[in-house]
Amino acid sequence: ETGVTQTPRHLVMGMTNKKSLKCEQHLGHNAMYWYKQSAKKPLELMFVYNFKEQTENNSVPSRFSPECPNSSHLFLHLHTLQPEDSALYLCASSQNRGVRPIGYTFGSGTRLTVV
Amino acid sequence: AQSVSQHNHHVILSEAASLELGCNYSYGGTVNLFWYVQYPGQHLQLLLKYFSGDPLVKGIKGFEAEFIKSKFSFNLRKPSVQWSDTAEYFCAVHDDNTDKLIFGTGTRLQVFP
């Protein structure tokens, strides 16, 4: 375990379903991130939360909706997804001192398949 | 905005061969550079990082990387690879201006015994 826990590990959902991905960190970090990892593409940064405030939304479609209720938990709510949204969704956390992060710790990811 | 290029998409080596994986980044001010490794079915792990100081950085598992500012490069090296090094390797740069960690496309390394 890395200290960043993601659930579920695997998720298969239909295009009309609503589901949520969960991320939890107990490292005392103050920033959390959602990344999308697709085959043969760079990891894409989706959302950034610093001290529970969303500071970045990287032009992500509205069918992805993040929620950060506290500095230890991060959710990604999914609805009416498309097959091309199938990917590995990674959560990460870091301790940001000013603007320089002290390393990133990644979770194991949720493998999402949209059918 | 920063961008990261990894030119080697797939590298195949025999055990004991030397490894060098290329990473180039676009200039955008102060850079913090990272190499991550992802073993099959596992999470991304930090191999090494460069913030400042000695441009030759030692990481875990015998890996090292050299920051060459004039070439905008941060290549990863290992003198003698092992079968257990089979994994995907990602170079990343943290952009202080935007506070984003930007990844390259990754290099898949296969090491045969």
Side-chain angles (χ1 to χ4, degrees), chain A residues 2 9 33 35 37 40-43 45 50 56 58 88 90 96 99-104 106-108, chain B residues 30-32 34 36 38 41-44 46 49 51-52 88 90 94 96 98-105:
Chain A
T2 67
R9 294 292 299 270
Y33 312 82
Y35 280 86
Q37 187 177 18
K40 298 190 172 127
K41 287 187 181 179
L43 271 80
L45 179 63
N50 263 311
E56 189 71 36
N58 237 20
L88 182 68
L90 293 169
N96 286 357
V99 293
R100 178 167 292 181
I102 309 300
Y104 279 58
F106 283 85
S108 300
Chain B
T30 304
V31 290
N32 307 301
F34 304 81
Y36 282 85
Q38 189 173 29
Q42 294 191 29
H43 58 270
L44 278 162
L46 182 66
K49 61 189 176 191
F51 285 170
S52 63
E88 189 140 19
F90 295 90
H94 182 262
D96 275 4
T98 61
D99 198 20
K100 291 182 185 180
L101 185 64
I102 309 298
F103 284 85
T105 50

